[in-house]
Amino acid sequence: MKVDPTELRVLASSMYDVGEAIDDIELRGSIITVGDFMPGCDVPAALDEAGEFIEGAYLRMAQRARRIAAVATGNAHEFEVSEDDFRSQLNAIGARP
């Protein structure tokens, strides 16, 4: 399998940015103000509860994206270390990689 550590780092950076962008979405602040326009109505409370669930889903999506970024970063590093170790071992026995 051919692995390009640079591309893994690009993926990691991109996924981290996606996670941050998702995490920055502020949903509940907008929903809370709905009650100002609908006094005495049950809809704002239902929207607030739905917003809590949606924000929780966004948080989990953001965490997943950042987890993928961490895995890609770690794999890029480990691949380079493994490749360097392999190259060193070949050099130690007089073979050229």
Side-chain angles (χ1 to χ4, degrees):
M1 178 163 97
K2 291 187 175 193
V3 177
D4 184 349
T6 302
E7 290 300 317
L8 282 176
R9 285 190 183 87
V10 169
L11 172 65
S13 176
S14 178
M15 291 305 295
Y16 183 81
D17 290 345
V18 165
E20 291 297 296
I22 292 171
D23 204 13
D24 287 344
I25 296 171
E26 180 57 45
L27 181 70
R28 291 186 71 201
S30 300
I31 291 174
I32 290 172
T33 61
V34 171
D36 297 341
F37 302 104
M38 305 174 96
C41 183
D42 293 338
V43 172
L47 289 174
D48 187 43
E49 184 177 1
E52 186 177 341
F53 293 135
I54 293 168
E55 240 179 39
Y58 282 179
L59 176 61
R60 289 186 295 281
M61 289 169 45
Q63 289 170 334
R64 177 64 56 99
R66 287 189 290 247
R67 197 172 308 135
I68 291 169
V71 167
T73 300
N75 284 335
H77 174 70
E78 288 194 23
F79 177 77
E80 285 181 339
V81 170
S82 297
E83 187 176 27
D84 290 345
D85 287 345
F86 180 66
R87 203 171 269 141
S88 294
Q89 290 171 7
L90 288 177
N91 287 334
I93 61 171
R96 292 183 179 217

